[in-house]
Amino acid sequence: MLYAINAEDVPNSLEKRISVRSEHLTRIKGLQEAGRLILAGPYPAIDSQDPGPLGFSGSLIVAEFESLEAAQAWINEDPYVSVGVYQRVTVKPFKKVLPE
């Protein structure tokens, strides 16, 4: 089943994000290589593709996991969680309708 992982950053998270970004992306690319990733990306802190030093306000990952518990366990091991980028993470089942 698909799960949406919605994460909200702590204020001024950019330096923390940068410090472990490569490790974070490696984990997400692992989902992609396994054919389990639907989409992933950050929320810019402002209405811009490149928010510059204002950074990001959170992230969204939609991917396939065997259960809600597995999705929660996966995100709990993410470097962004470990270094304190995220102040809140919500994991919910997700039903993709479109595009088909």
Side-chain angles (χ1 to χ4, degrees):
M1 180 164 189
L2 296 178
Y3 294 88
I5 300 171
N6 190 47
E8 183 181 331
D9 282 21
V10 298
N12 304 308
S13 63
L14 188 57
E15 285 185 33
K16 289 180 181 181
R17 277 179 168 269
I18 292 169
S19 74
V20 293
R21 184 173 188 266
S22 64
E23 294 93 335
H24 170 75
L25 290 178
T26 295
R27 295 184 82 243
I28 294 174
K29 287 177 184 175
L31 291 174
Q32 182 179 17
E33 290 165 1
R36 296 170 43 202
L37 182 66
I38 302 301
L39 64 89
Y43 298 116
I46 59 172
D47 189 11
S48 173
Q49 283 286 82
D50 180 4
L54 294 177
F56 302 92
S57 63
S59 302
L60 174 64
I61 300 167
V62 178
E64 183 180 345
F65 293 92
E66 61 187 51
S67 66
L68 178 62
E69 293 78 17
Q72 186 67 59
W74 184 88
I75 193 61
N76 286 347
E77 295 176 8
D78 193 84
Y80 281 4
V81 172
S82 300
V83 300
V85 169
Y86 298 147
Q87 67 180 346
R88 182 178 21 242
V89 177
T90 305
V91 180
K92 294 182 178 184
F94 181 81
K95 181 179 178 183
K96 181 179 179 240
V97 175
L98 294 171
E100 292 180 24

